[in-house]
Amino acid sequence: MVVVLTMDHTMLRLDNAVYDRLLQLGAASPGQSVLLVEIDDESIARIGRWPWNRAIHAALIDRIKAGQPRAIAYDVLFTEPGDPVTDAALGASIAAAGPIFLPMLPPMPTPAGAAAAPVLPIEPVREAATGIGYATIDPDPDGVVRSAQVGAGPGGQAQHLMALTARAALGQQDHPSSMPVGARLIPFGAAGRHWSEVSAAAVLAGQVPPELLRDRVVLVGATATGLGSRYPTPTGRVMSGLEIEANLLQALMGHSLIRPASLPARLALGLLPLVVLMIGLGPWRRAPALVVFLVCAATVIAVTALCLLASGLWLWLPPGAALAGLAVAYPLWGWRQLAVIEQFMRAQLLRLEQEPSLLPRVSLRGSAKRGVAGTIALLHAAIARNREMRHFAADRLDQLPDATVVADLAGRIVLANAAAHRLFAGFGLAIEPGATRAQDLLAAVRLVGSGNPVPFPLYADEPATHEVQRDQAHFYLVGIAPQTQADGQRAGWIMRLVDISEAKAAQRQRDDVVQLLTHDMRSPQASILAVLETASPDRIAPVEASAIRHYAERTLRLADGFVQLARAEYLEYTLEEVDLGDMLIDAIDDLWPQSHAKRIEIVTHGDEQMLVLGERSLLTRALVNVIGNAIKYSPDGTRITCTLTREVRADGITWGLCAIADQGCGMDADLRSRMFERFARGPVGLGPKTSGAGLGLSFVHTVMVRHHGVIGCETEPGQGTTFTLALPIKG
C-alpha cells in the first residue's frame, strides 16, 4: 500500500498540507537584492488606461536604466506590432538598457499535425532583448502555487524568465549549467518575503532616486486590479504573479530552491519506518506498541522537516505515504494480534471439542457458536469438560462394554473397568491396580495361528490389533494403543479385548456351508449325471432319465451359484491390472455355444484398451452372468450389443463403462426394484420361461460393489434391457 501511495501521489493533499505548515515555520528573509516596479492602480490612474503606448514603456526602461541595475526582467508582453516609430523606439531603449529579459507566450493549441511554437515578442523588441523566456505560473491541482518549471519551458528548450534574469544577475562566473533543471519548489517563507516596491508612475515622474535602483535586479510587471493575476501560496496569503516571480528569482540567486525527493528516497521514507514499526511490534519488541508507533510517526515528521528547513539542504520528502502506512499498520497489527489470539484459542478449543471422548459436552446455543461469543462458549465448555475428567476416569470407565485396561509406561495396570475384571476372573486372574502387569494378563492368550505370546510393549507409535484365542471356543481381538502426554511424550498404554467368539463360530458355519455346497452337494449330483451317461438305455426309461438329468443339473447350478456368491462376498481379492475389453471377449467366447444355439449375434464396439484393478476371474464371471442373462431372455435371431466407453465424471475420475444391451422382453418396475436380490428371477409373463437359481445378478452386484464399481440398468417392458458396468480406470 505504501509503495502504491508513494508512486501514484494519492496522499498529495496531506503532503501539501504538511509542506505548507512546515514552510510557514521557516524564517522570512527580506529580498534586498530585488526591486519590484509595479504597474499598479496608481500608475494606471496617473498615466492612463492600459495598454500603454510603447513610448511610455521605452521611457520607463530608460528611467530604470539610469539607476544602473544589475538586470531587468520586464514582464510585459509585446507580441503584436504597433506604430513602427514607437516599436523602434522601444527596441532602442531595450538595446541600451543592458541585460534586460522579456517574456514570451507558451505554445498555443494547434490543429492536429501542426508543430506548436511559442509566441515571441515583435522583431524590434526581440532583437534588442538580452534574452526571452516564459513567465507562466502553474498552480497545483488545489489552486496553490508551490513550484515552478525553471529548467525547460513548454517548448522543451526555453528557460524561465527568472532563470535568465538570475543568471545575468549572478554574472558570467556562474555557468548556465548551474541553473536547476525541471520543476522546483519555491521557498516562500513564513509570510512571504518583504520586497522593496515602487510604482511605475513614480519611476516615470523621477520620484525614485537612482540609488534605490543601483545594483539591484528590477522586476517590472502589472499588479493593478484587473491586470495582474493573483494566486494563493503556501504562506496563507494571496500573492500577485510579480511577487511569486520575485520569490522564485531570489531563490534562484540564492540557490535555495527546494528539490522534490527522488522516488527511491520517497520509498525509503515510506517503507523504513514501516519496517521499524513491524520490528518494534514483533521480534524485537522492547517498548509498548503505542510508543513505538508514536516514535516512528515523529521520526517521519522530523526527517521531513529537517530536509525541508535545514540550512543548505532544501529537499522535500513527502510524508503522506509513510504516515498513512503507519496509521494503517498500527491498528491493523492490533486487530491481527487480537484476531490471532482469538483464532488460536478457538482452534484449540474446537480441536478439544472435536476429539473423541465419552465426556458430556456443554450444548452451545446457535448464536453463541460464532465470533468471540462462540470462543467464550467453547472456553466454558472446555472448563466444564476438564472438571468432568476425574469423574470420567474413575467412574465411567466401568460403563464400557469391552474389557479395557490402562497401563503406565512400565506396564503396570492403573485402571481397569468391570468388564476387564469379569473377563480375566474367568481366566483365573485377579487385577490389582498398581501391582498387576499387562504382560501377565496377555500371557493368558496366544496369537491365532502361530500360538506366540502377544507382543508388549509396542515400539511403534501406531496402535496394533491382534487376533488371539484362549482355547478352541474363545477368540478375542486385542487392541493396544500408546498414549501420549500434551508435550508428545509417551505416557502409557490402553488395551482393549473384544470377544469375537460368536463371529468366529459364524465364520466356521459359513465355511461349512460352502464346503457342503462345493463338495457334499455337487459330488452326488455329478455321480447321478455320470450314471445317466454310462447306463444302458434299456435300464432307465428316457422320460425318467431326462427328469433326473434336469433336476441334477438344476441342483448343480444352484450349488455353483451359492459358491460363486460366497466367493464374491468373502474372498479376499487379489487385485491386478486387467483389460476390461479382454475380459469382455473371454465372456463372449465362453457363451458362444448358447448364443449360437439361439442364433443370437453378439457385437462389440470400442476396442480401446481399458485397464482396471480387479480380480480377473470374478469380473469375467460377472460379465458372463450379464451376457448369459441377455442370451437367456432374448428371442432367437436377435442381437446383443456390447459397448466399451470412457467417461470423466464430476469428481475427476475416469470410468470405464461396459454397456450390454439386448432386444429381449424387458422388465417391469417391480422386477427392476429387486433384480439384485437373491433368488430374484424374471421375467414373469413377459417372455419365455427359463430355469435358474436367481443368484446371477446378486453375484454381479456384489462383485461390482467390492471393486468400487457401479452397475446400472435401463429397461422397459417389451423394449429390451441394457446393463451398464462401470469401473474406475487405473491412472
Side-chain angles (χ1 to χ4, degrees), residues 513-584:
V513 170
V514 173
Q515 177 66 26
L516 173 67
L517 291 173
T518 57
H519 183 268
D520 296 342
M521 288 185 65
R522 286 174 56 88
S523 181
Q525 304 306 317
S527 299
I528 292 172
L529 293 176
V531 170
L532 292 175
E533 292 291 339
T534 58
S536 60
D538 57 347
R539 298 183 61 185
I540 302 176
V543 175
E544 286 76 6
S546 176
I548 293 171
R549 179 182 299 277
H550 170 72
Y551 293 127
E553 289 177 348
R554 183 176 179 182
T555 304
L556 280 176
R557 286 195 298 270
L558 184 61
D560 286 342
F562 272 113
V563 170
Q564 294 297 335
L565 184 59
R567 289 182 66 237
E569 290 178 342
Y570 305 112
L571 180 69
E572 185 175 347
Y573 289 5
T574 302
L575 301 182
E576 59 178 334
E577 287 188 12
V578 292
D579 187 352
L580 188 58
D582 289 346
M583 292 187 294
L584 178 62

Side-chain angles (χ1 to χ4, degrees), residues 134-434:
Y134 65 92
T136 55
I137 297 175
D138 297 320
D140 289 347
D142 59 357
V144 179
V145 176
R146 296 183 179 87
S147 62
Q149 188 82 14
V150 297
Q157 299 296 331
Q159 296 288 315
H160 196 281
L161 180 63
M162 294 302 105
L164 298 174
T165 306
R167 186 185 305 157
L170 293 173
Q172 295 298 324
Q173 72 275 11
D174 198 314
H175 193 271
S177 62
S178 64
M179 285 292 106
V181 176
R184 291 292 187 271
L185 295 165
I186 305 172
F188 285 100
R193 300 182 186 275
H194 303 284
W195 308 103
S196 299
E197 305 169 354
V198 295
S199 172
V203 175
L204 283 170
Q207 297 172 350
V208 176
E211 293 78 9
L212 188 61
L213 300 171
R214 185 171 294 117
D215 203 32
R216 285 195 173 188
V217 180
V218 177
L219 300 186
V220 181
T223 60
T225 303
L227 293 182
S229 56
R230 305 181 69 81
Y231 303 94
T233 62
T235 62
R237 57 183 286 262
V238 176
M239 292 186 183
S240 65
L242 193 64
E243 288 181 277
I244 294 174
E245 289 178 344
N247 280 276
L248 175 59
L249 176 61
Q250 185 69 26
L252 284 166
M253 294 171 59
H255 302 288
S256 59
L257 283 175
I258 303 172
R259 297 184 291 113
S262 63
L263 179 61
R266 288 185 284 125
L267 288 174
L269 180 68
L271 296 176
L272 287 179
L274 191 61
V275 173
V276 172
L277 177 66
M278 291 296 95
I279 293 176
L281 297 180
W284 293 352
R285 186 174 181 181
R286 296 295 183 270
L290 182 60
V291 173
V292 177
F293 166 73
L294 294 176
V295 169
C296 291
T299 301
V300 171
I301 297 297
V303 171
T304 298
L306 180 66
C307 292
L308 183 62
L309 302 178
S311 175
L313 191 57
W314 297 109
L315 178 69
W316 171 235
L317 275 169
L323 295 176
L326 295 175
V328 172
Y330 175 66
L332 182 64
W333 170 84
W335 166 63
R336 289 306 305 155
Q337 286 283 102
L338 295 177
V340 166
I341 294 173
E342 193 270 338
Q343 289 173 3
F344 175 77
M345 291 181 58
R346 185 177 184 84
Q348 296 300 318
L349 292 171
L350 283 173
R351 182 179 177 184
L352 178 64
E353 187 71 17
Q354 295 170 0
E355 288 178 355
S357 174
L358 296 179
L359 291 176
R361 301 184 184 274
V362 177
S363 61
L364 301 176
R365 291 173 301 201
S367 60
K369 293 182 180 179
R370 299 182 297 273
V372 177
T375 304
I376 295 175
L378 288 170
L379 184 59
H380 279 299
I383 294 173
R385 185 178 179 182
N386 185 61
R387 289 172 178 170
E388 291 291 334
M389 185 61 68
R390 180 177 295 276
H391 177 66
F392 165 77
D395 298 333
R396 300 197 178 179
L397 192 63
D398 286 337
Q399 299 177 6
L400 296 178
D402 299 322
T404 305
V405 296
V406 180
D408 59 15
L409 276 176
R412 290 186 296 269
I413 302 301
V414 178
L415 292 173
N417 64 354
H421 284 283
R422 289 194 300 269
L423 176 65
F424 287 102
F427 295 169
L429 299 173
I431 301 177
E432 298 181 6

